[in-house]
Amino acid sequence: DIQMTQSPSLLSASVGDRVTLNCRASQKIYKSLAWYQQKLGEAPKLLIYNANSFQAGIPSRFSGSGSVTDFTLTISSLQPEDVATYFCQQYYTGTWTFGGGTRLELK
Amino acid sequence: QVQLQQSGEELAKPGSSVKLSCKASGYMFTRYYISWIKQTTGQGLEYIGDINTESGGTNYNEKFKGKATLTVDKSSSTAFMQLSSLTPDDSAVYYCARGVDVWGQGASVTVSS
């Protein structure tokens, strides 16, 4: 299986900060990557698919970049409602795999 | 709107089985596969498998072969996942998903004597 590694596992930032979350795949997945936001007690919510395509209804401060094995989710200006855990997921193979998550908190 | 509605919380005894449901609405059910994902605090998110809602063909993560059985009822636009021979390690929140973009609300399964 393709291993997905996210860093950092915990990130503290202030409102208005530019925040960068990282995700690395153990094999080439090209652009078959999604980013999710998960708040406590809720299902994951899709933010980005195909590495850099915006899901409808997601605030424009969220953006994705990268390809092949290295990917980034950027929040351009952190808002209080962005406190959550963020997961990356590859769907290049028939068995999806997920990163361990980055927990984002307010400083 | 497009949504997946999952069945409720389950409390089960070790060795028993549970059958979770995932009812689709707002789209043509047979046009999309349904996937199932397990989430625990310790293991994170794990892919269980998926089912072709038109043909009933299935694809399982090796880890969940023999544990999960995926089925579908096209007449009611509902996908099912049966978990058998339950152990405490099967305690988790289970999600169904349509592709990457639509997830159910999750169903909590607790296995305890």
Side-chain angles (χ1 to χ4, degrees):
Chain A
D1 290 354
I2 297 176
Q3 307 303 313
M4 305 300 292
T5 303
Q6 290 187 244
S7 62
S9 55
L10 174 63
L11 181 57
S12 296
S14 301
V15 172
D17 282 354
R18 182 180 181 87
V19 170
T20 300
L21 286 65
N22 302 297
C23 176
R24 174 167 286 175
S26 63
Q27 300 173 37
K28 295 177 180 179
I29 61 168
Y30 301 97
K31 291 210 161 193
S32 299
L33 184 102
W35 287 98
Y36 297 90
Q37 177 193 68
Q38 187 176 33
K39 297 184 178 180
L40 204 60
E42 298 181 5
K45 180 169 77 171
L46 179 67
L47 301 174
I48 301 288
Y49 63 97
N50 292 347
N52 60 9
S53 296
F54 300 97
Q55 174 66 353
I58 299 303
S60 59
R61 62 181 178 273
F62 291 93
S63 64
S65 63
S67 65
V68 187
T69 60
D70 289 286
F71 303 88
T72 298
L73 176 70
T74 300
I75 308 173
S76 60
S77 177
L78 185 67
Q79 300 302 304
E81 60 266 31
D82 299 336
V83 169
T85 299
Y86 293 82
F87 295 98
C88 62
Q89 175 222 332
Q90 68 80 20
Y91 46 92
Y92 184 72
T93 66
T95 301
W96 300 350
T97 48
F98 298 84
T102 292
R103 187 158 63 91
L104 179 57
E105 63 179 29
L106 287 179
K107 194 180 289 183
Chain B
Q1 75 277 28
V2 175
Q3 65 176 10
L4 299 174
Q5 183 66 35
Q6 296 188 236
S7 49
E9 183 175 0
E10 298 271 2
L11 180 59
K13 301 282 190 199
S16 68
S17 299
V18 295
K19 191 170 186 177
L20 309 181
S21 67
C22 171
K23 182 172 176 59
S25 60
Y27 72 98
M28 189 174 291
F29 180 64
T30 53
R31 280 198 173 173
Y32 296 85
Y33 283 52
I34 293 289
S35 300
W36 291 85
I37 300 100
K38 176 183 181 182
Q39 186 172 31
T40 59
T41 305
Q43 296 296 316
L45 292 156
E46 297 180 278
Y47 190 72
I48 296 169
D50 57 65
I51 185 163
N52 180 323
T53 54
E54 174 62 51
S55 68
T58 52
N59 166 53
Y60 292 97
N61 181 342
E62 284 292 328
K63 178 177 178 178
F64 293 94
K65 284 183 178 177
K67 171 61 65 179
T69 302
L70 306 183
T71 57
V72 67
D73 176 12
K74 291 192 285 186
S75 68
S76 64
S77 299
T78 303
F80 299 92
M81 177 173 68
Q82 179 159 316
L83 298 170
S84 60
S85 303
L86 291 169
T87 73
D89 286 345
D90 298 315
S91 298
V93 176
Y94 292 88
Y95 294 98
C96 60
R98 184 199 83 164
V100 298
D101 63 335
V102 182
W103 288 50
Q105 81 277 23
S108 175
V109 174
T110 302
V111 182
S112 173
S113 54

